Structures are given as structure tokens and as C-alpha cells.
């Protein structure tokens, strides 16, 4: 059982989510305002937040920015009517852990929530640094170390870097990277993976993330 915060200003959707998640055994609270949602999220009383983007007072992007700026690592699943690649990247870069466009199936949302809660449990249980060659990834602070240089990573960069470091030398397709890092199903034509590989190359060094034409990407320590 988890404590889940729903920040959604459409009463019908909020009630639907609360009913379904409560039936799954979770403790659920709902708020309809972005600023109130941020205050509740920062209270430390919740294990996960389901966050709409179009909110009164402050929108979901601002909620994410302030939540991560204040050091919260609570998993956030963004639920929104916006489904363009630009909005998807903006939400993920802002610190969202997953992204689901309306309309949605409750079974899919439930599955994504379970994945995020399980990953959070695993991350909390791990200590120390994941290393591959001269590259190190601090699992607690989300800092990347490359040849003695340190870089901060966004939540999405961290997730992708972790997958790559756990599979050195292995070719991973875009679909595999989406599934392993984010647990999301995107349109096959989406360039989200390519965007984040580009971000990581600037911090890892372009030679360490190799493009394998027609297949995907390979991390070379």
C-alpha cells in the first residue's frame, strides 16, 4: 500500500482515479490546485504523485520545477491532455518519472504507478556508486563522474545513464531504452530517446554512447 497524491482539477477524473487507486489498497488524497499540490508534495506525507499539467495557480511544469529544486525524489507520473514530443520532453526534463496522455486506460496508469513505486523501493535500498570503467554514477545524489569530472543529471538523464551503465557493451534499441529507463510506450517515430542520448553525450563524451545504425545505442566504458 502506498500513499498517493492526485493533483487534478477535473473533478470527474480526480474522483475516478481516487476510486480506482483506493480499490487497489492505496491511501489517496486529491487536490485541484497547483500550489496546494506542491505544498502537499513537499510535506513528505506521500510516496508518489499523479500530476496534471493544466492546473490553476501554478501549472504542473512549475510544480515539477519547484519540487525537484527543493530536493524531493518522490516519483511523479504526469497525466495530461498534452501529448506532443515537446511537452513530453519538457515534463521529463522537469523531473517527471513517467508520462501518460489523456484519454488513458486505468489499467495502464496502475501498471506505471506500480513500476515507479517498485523502482523507488529498489533505489532507496541501493547505496554507493554504480561504476563502469572510468564512469561512475552516484545512486543517491544523481551525480555523474567521468574521468574525475562531476555533472548533475536531470531525473530522465539519470534514468537513462543508469540503464546504459548497467548494460555496458550491449546494444539497446530505442524501445528497450524506453522500457528499461522509463517504462513508457511511445510512438515508434518519437525522438525522445535520441534527445536524451544527445544530452548525455555532452556529459559522458560523445564516443562513449555509440549509435549502432538500424539497431539502437551502445555504451562503451
Amino acid at each position: 500500500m502506498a500513499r498517493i497524491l492526485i493533483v487534478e482539477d477535473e473533478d470527474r477524473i480526480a474522483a475516478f482515479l481516487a476510486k480506482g487507486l483506493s480499490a487497489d489498497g492505496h491511501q489517496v488524497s486529491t487536490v485541484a490546485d497547483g500550489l496546494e499540490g506542491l505544498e502537499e508534495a513537499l510535506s513528505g506525507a506521500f510516496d508518489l504523485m499523479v500530476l496534471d499539467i493544466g492546473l490553476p495557480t501554478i501549472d504542473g511544469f512549475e510544480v515539477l520545477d519547484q519540487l525537484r529544486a527543493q530536493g524531493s525524489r518522490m516519483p511523479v507520473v504526469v497525466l495530461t491532455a498534452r501529448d506532443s514530443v515537446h511537452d513530453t520532453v519538457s515534463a521529463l526534463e522537469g523531473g517527471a518519472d513517467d508520462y501518460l496522455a489523456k484519454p488513458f486506460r486505468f489499467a495502464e496508469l496502475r501498471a506505471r504507478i506500480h513500476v515507479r513505486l517498485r523502482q523507488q523501493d529498489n533505489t532507496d535500498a541501493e547505496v554507493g556508486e554504480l561504476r563502469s570503467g572510468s564512469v561512475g554514477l552516484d545512486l543517491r545524489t544523481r551525480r555523474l563522474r567521468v574521468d574525475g569530472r562531476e555533472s548533475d543529471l536531470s531525473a530522465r538523464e539519470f534514468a537513462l545513464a543508469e540503464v546504459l551503465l548497467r548494460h555496458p557493451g550491449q546494444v539497446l534499441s530505442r524501445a528497450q531504452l524506453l522500457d528499461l529507463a522509463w517504462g513508457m510506450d511511445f510512438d515508434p517515430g518519437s525522438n525522445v530517446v535520441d534527445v536524451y542520448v544527445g544530452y548525455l553525450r555532452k556529459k559522458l563524451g560523445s564516443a562513449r554512447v555509440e549509435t549502432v545504425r538500424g539497431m539502437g545505442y551502445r555504451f562503451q566504458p
Side-chain angles (χ1 to χ4, degrees):
M1 180 178 66
R3 299 162 299 173
I4 297 178
L5 174 64
I6 299 170
V7 187
E8 167 64 67
D9 65 336
E10 294 187 41
D11 292 341
R12 180 179 57 84
I13 294 177
F16 169 70
L17 292 174
K19 181 179 179 180
L21 293 173
S22 295
D24 281 348
H26 301 298
Q27 294 180 354
V28 181
S29 295
T30 63
V31 298
D33 176 88
L35 187 58
E36 184 181 355
L38 176 62
E39 293 172 351
E40 291 289 334
L42 290 171
S43 70
F46 297 95
D47 301 306
L48 179 141
M49 175 167 61
V50 178
L51 176 68
D52 187 33
I53 292 298
L55 295 167
T57 310
I58 60 173
D59 67 16
F61 291 127
E62 182 66 19
V63 173
L64 277 170
D65 286 342
Q66 294 194 34
L67 186 69
R68 297 313 186 204
Q70 296 190 49
S72 173
R73 295 172 56 200
M74 179 177 66
V76 177
V77 178
V78 167
L79 186 65
T80 176
R82 306 179 186 183
D83 60 357
S84 72
V85 169
H86 176 268
D87 286 325
T88 301
V89 170
S90 295
L92 297 175
E93 185 64 19
D97 295 273
D98 211 334
Y99 185 99
L100 192 61
K102 301 174 183 176
F104 62 92
R105 292 175 298 171
F106 180 77
E108 182 178 6
L109 177 64
R110 176 199 289 127
R112 295 185 185 215
I113 286 173
H114 287 174
V115 167
R116 294 303 149 202
L117 290 171
R118 184 169 64 250
Q119 288 180 338
Q120 183 70 9
D121 288 342
N122 291 339
T123 298
D124 289 344
E126 290 196 65
V127 295
E129 185 178 67
L130 180 64
R131 295 200 61 85
S132 184
S134 60
V135 178
L137 184 65
D138 193 307
L139 298 173
R140 293 165 295 185
T141 66
R142 292 182 176 175
R143 290 185 66 81
L144 181 71
R145 298 183 180 90
V146 181
D147 298 325
R149 294 178 289 104
E150 292 193 356
S151 302
D152 289 318
L153 300 178
S154 70
R156 294 300 89 224
E157 289 173 337
F158 172 80
L160 183 57
E162 183 179 3
V163 170
L164 292 173
L165 264 68
R166 290 189 186 277
H167 299 82
Q170 181 178 341
V171 178
L172 298 172
S173 68
R174 289 173 176 80
Q176 286 176 308
L177 289 170
L178 283 170
D179 182 58
L180 290 170
W182 306 326
M184 291 180 290
D185 296 318
F186 276 86
D187 186 296
S190 170
N191 67 345
V192 170
V193 169
D194 308 85
V195 169
Y196 279 92
V197 165
Y199 292 158
L200 273 184
R201 278 175 169 160
K202 295 177 181 178
K203 299 177 180 181
L204 284 168
S206 58
R208 284 193 171 91
V209 185
E210 176 188 0
T211 299
V212 182
R213 189 176 299 277
M215 298 179 66
Y217 295 101
R218 175 167 51 206
F219 172 65
Q220 302 283 18

